[in-house]
Amino acid sequence: MPKTQSEQRIPVLIAGGGTVGLSAALFLAHHGVECLAVERQDGPSRHPRATGLGPRTVEFLRETGIAEAVDAVAIDMSAGGLGKISVTTLAEADLPALARATPAHARPGRQRTDRTSPGTLRGTCPQNRLDAVLLSAARDRGATVRHATRLVSFEQDTEGVTALLDGPDGPHTVRADYLLAADGVRSGVRDALGIGASGPGNLGTPMINMLFRADLTPYTRGQSFVICDITHPDAPGILLTIDGDQEWIFHTSYDPDGGESADDFTPARCRALIRTAIGAPDLDVEVVSTLPWRPRGLLADRFRDGRVFLMGDAAHTNPPLGAFGLNTGIADAHNLAWKLAAVLSGQAGAGLLDSYAAERRPVGALALEQSLRRLADPRLHWDLSPRLAEARAAAGVLNAPLVHMGYRYDSAAVIDPQPELPSPEDLTVALDGAPGSRLPHLWVERDGHRLSTLDLVGSRFTLLTGAGAGGDRWVRAAREAGERLGLELPAYRIGPGAEVTDPDGRWPQFTGPDGGGALLVRPDQFIGWRSAAPSGGPSDPSDASTSHLTESSAPSDASTSHLPEPSAPSDDPSGDLVRALLRILAREDQGERGGRTGATRVA
């Protein structure tokens, strides 16, 4: 590697400062990990590429304390905004009439996920607005983000990654423990590592994304919408809400085989197309910027090479229908951040990092598959009425909330995982307390405050149990296990008379009617282990029995019960917790996974 002006030491280097890269920086900083994100653009993008944030993403924002800040910049659709509409031109549409005819289940709004997630926004949030909040929050928590700086090349060895960066002050070298590639669909890091990708590749025709400003209030008439199909033959395309007032995006396609190119979309032509689509020949239109793009469907063959990890579009690229691409990328960053923090702090063995690809690549494959199924028949995504339930099932289209947060992990970081979904439709059934699933969300009360069970986790391992005598034993066991392993392990009893109450009385279905079972929840709010109530006498931490912590188990039969089978009861809950945590954290294998060494140039 050539000589440079200086060398910097950093635990984690992130290539890419878009939404996924900024999310990784925020999540790492939230866990106390020093990191540097570099972005070749000279500042945050002004041009939003996506607007839909799923409930799981909003749960991450809630966890890191920025959900209210993002909600404040989201577009308010809580008063009855429309989802997808189709019109010849916007001027010809009667939006108030469309709103009256649209059932509540087809509208965006907080009420649709309140029972399954605390993560809801008042409406859509343009990507550039989200990025502004992420950037500020990441920096406030200690992350460093540098714009106008690109990753030129890198080389890795068994101890770390040495990267050559080029920025405003010239070339310099960074030595990092790990490199995260969040550098997009044309990932230079992925290409430099020689990691291939599978999938259909390009889908449909190339598109032009036009960000413009215009006063459309005479045509929206007080109604908001997420997306509007324009079917006018001279300007077919898609109109998206950005601020619901003055800022909008219009997508239209072009035909390279017919001699068209992105260069043909001059400001004058864009204005003419927008005026035709709106149905207002004299509309005052300011074209802010244009971006050519094309829908793609790709999945990287590997998500890891030694000390380098792929995330976001570098790992999986989805067509936009379903909003699975951006949200899946943010979830990649969330999954990896706590694991890197645990390994870098010495709380976990390096083998824990193997679970990143084992967990996230199947999720990326699911998101891509579901996007493609929706692309074949978009009605199955937008029309949630019962009349299409049979068609959705026949096409293999899962309900969108299941894709966003109902998936399950099957890896060494989950004990006795149960990866099969018990229902392709009902998220409340899918989130049943099974190992490998996201902790069920319940509204509970603590010290007079209403909060979610997810809030109890607080970005650390947490034990949740019931209010009975077995729950008391689990609380003592958690204290003992945490002391033995040198990690924080809070435990909460949930139920009548406990420190956390469950007004709806739903908690016993996850830990048993006697309240004596327990869920060991990972820092990412996924269940790492589930146990029945302890048996026998008082806990004896010296008992090394492991018969009930099996290496694997078959999934429960969803046809007879949707509830998972817990691990067998034990008379040593403290020892059980210690053994479970050692396995999840890969503490028994301290060897670093070796990667190939040598210099690698980034295109």
Side-chain angles (χ1 to χ4, degrees):
M1 188 165 287
K3 184 177 180 180
T4 59
Q5 294 179 355
S6 61
E7 180 168 308
Q8 178 184 2
R9 188 70 174 82
I10 197 83
V12 180
L13 172 64
I14 304 166
T19 305
V20 173
L22 291 174
S23 297
L26 172 62
F27 300 150
L28 286 165
H30 176 71
H31 285 285
V33 176
E34 187 181 1
C35 59
L36 166 65
V38 295
E39 169 57 49
R40 65 171 60 216
Q41 292 192 82
D42 59 7
S45 175
R46 298 174 56 205
H47 198 125
R49 293 172 172 82
T51 61
L53 297 185
R56 184 65 181 142
T57 296
V58 186
E59 291 174 2
F60 305 150
L61 306 178
R62 182 184 178 95
E63 177 189 349
T64 52
I66 64 170
E68 290 186 1
V70 174
D71 198 46
V73 299
I75 309 309
D76 191 356
M77 296 183 175
S78 58
L82 295 164
K84 179 178 183 290
I85 60 176
S86 181
V87 301
T88 305
T89 68
L90 192 62
E92 295 177 44
D94 186 347
L95 266 59
L98 284 174
R100 289 191 296 271
T102 301
H105 66 72
R107 300 182 186 180
R110 298 185 191 276
Q111 73 282 357
R112 292 180 60 190
T113 57
D114 185 74
R115 185 171 170 81
T116 54
S117 173
T120 55
L121 296 178
R122 58 181 181 168
T124 59
C125 183
Q127 194 171 351
N128 59 331
R129 295 186 175 200
L130 172 64
D131 288 355
V133 177
L134 291 173
L135 176 60
S136 176
R139 284 174 168 167
D140 286 347
R141 287 157 177 76
T144 301
V145 181
R146 295 180 188 161
H147 291 97
T149 303
R150 67 186 183 95
L151 174 64
V152 177
S153 62
F154 64 92
E155 59 184 42
Q156 62 172 316
D157 51 50
T158 58
E159 301 299 323
V161 179
T162 302
L164 176 62
L165 308 180
D166 190 12
D169 297 327
H172 60 285
T173 301
V174 169
R175 178 67 174 173
D177 292 298
Y178 299 97
L179 169 64
L180 311 187
D183 52 344
V185 60
R186 297 181 179 86
S187 172
V189 174
R190 185 189 64 220
D191 290 346
L193 292 170
I195 297 177
S198 59
N202 290 334
L203 298 163
T205 58
M207 308 283 288
I208 289 290
N209 176 329
M210 311 172 199
L211 175 64
F212 70 95
R213 292 193 180 100
D215 181 8
L216 302 187
T217 54
Y219 314 104
T220 57
R221 297 168 60 187
Q223 291 293 325
S224 58
F225 58 82
V226 176
I227 182 171
C228 176
D229 272 342
I230 302 293
T231 62
H232 193 289
D234 295 331
I238 300 170
L239 183 66
L240 295 179
T241 293
I242 298 301
D243 70 359
D245 183 19
Q246 300 291 324
E247 279 197 333
W248 311 85
I249 276 180
F250 183 61
H251 295 271
T252 194
S253 62
Y254 63 95
D255 181 14
D257 293 337
E260 292 184 302
S261 74
D263 293 337
D264 296 330
F265 290 84
T266 63
R269 185 182 180 192
C270 290
R271 281 193 295 271
L273 286 167
I274 292 166
R275 286 167 176 158
T276 300
I278 302 303
D282 299 323
L283 182 67
D284 185 12
V285 177
E286 177 192 356
V287 178
V288 178
S289 59
T290 59
L291 284 176
W293 68 286
R294 189 169 190 174
R296 291 182 176 87
L298 293 171
L299 179 70
D301 296 339
R302 293 179 286 124
F303 278 23
R304 180 184 184 184
D305 186 298
R307 289 178 172 267
V308 184
F309 297 84
L310 306 184
M311 57 179 54
D313 281 350
H316 44 76
T317 305
N318 289 17
L321 190 57
F324 301 142
L326 179 67
N327 290 285
T328 303
I330 296 173
D332 294 341
H334 188 264
N335 179 282
L336 185 56
W338 77 268
K339 296 173 181 178
L340 285 170
V343 171
L344 288 166
S345 68
Q347 288 192 344
L352 174 63
L353 299 178
D354 291 337
S355 67
Y356 169 70
E359 293 180 350
R360 294 307 302 169
R361 191 173 186 278
V363 175
L366 173 67
L368 175 57
E369 173 212 327
Q370 288 296 311
S371 294
L372 294 174
R373 290 183 186 276
R374 284 162 165 75
L375 197 63
D377 187 353
R379 294 178 311 143
L380 302 181
H381 175 73
W382 290 107
D383 188 345
L384 303 180
S385 61
R387 66 186 181 87
L388 287 180
E390 185 175 336
R392 284 193 296 271
V397 172
L398 300 178
N399 281 350
L402 275 170
V403 184
H404 281 291
M405 55 185 175
Y407 52 82
R408 299 181 174 202
Y409 291 149
D410 184 359
S411 78
V414 177
I415 296 173
D416 295 338
Q418 299 184 18
E420 296 299 321
L421 287 177
S423 168
E425 290 287 327
D426 192 342
L427 183 62
T428 60
V429 172
L431 299 178
D432 60 1
S437 65
R438 198 268 269 147
L439 174 69
H441 153 68
L442 303 179
W443 289 117
V444 295
E445 293 182 0
R446 181 187 180 200
D447 298 329
H449 298 288
R450 183 176 187 252
L451 69 162
S452 169
T453 45
L454 300 178
D455 299 329
L456 295 173
V457 178
S459 309
R460 68 211 162 182
F461 279 98
T462 304
L463 189 74
L464 300 180
T465 184
D472 293 336
R473 291 190 64 195
W474 280 118
V475 171
R476 292 194 299 271
R479 182 171 60 250
E480 294 168 2
E483 291 173 353
R484 290 176 63 183
L485 295 178
L487 56 82
E488 185 181 9
L489 183 59
Y492 298 98
R493 298 179 310 133
I494 302 175
E499 59 270 24
V500 180
T501 59
D502 171 24
D504 294 334
R506 295 173 57 201
W507 181 253
Q509 69 181 287
F510 305 116
T511 56
D514 62 353
L519 302 180
L520 178 60
V521 188
R522 308 187 323 185
D524 60 353
Q525 304 168 338
F526 271 74
I527 298 167
W529 176 59
R530 185 178 190 266
S531 177
S535 64
S539 173
D540 179 6
S542 64
D543 183 357
S545 171
T546 58
S547 61
H548 58 288
L549 275 178
T550 57
E551 289 298 324
S552 64
S553 68
S556 61
D557 185 353
S559 65
T560 60
S561 172
H562 72 272
L563 292 178
E565 291 295 329
S567 294
S570 165
D571 60 0
D572 180 23
S574 176
D576 290 347
L577 279 172
V578 168
R579 288 183 285 273
L581 285 162
L582 287 174
R583 282 182 53 183
I584 292 170
L585 291 170
R587 288 269 286 265
E588 297 173 340
D589 178 13
Q590 297 294 333
E592 175 58 73
R593 172 179 171 174
R596 61 191 180 88
T597 62
T600 311
R601 187 166 187 84
V602 180

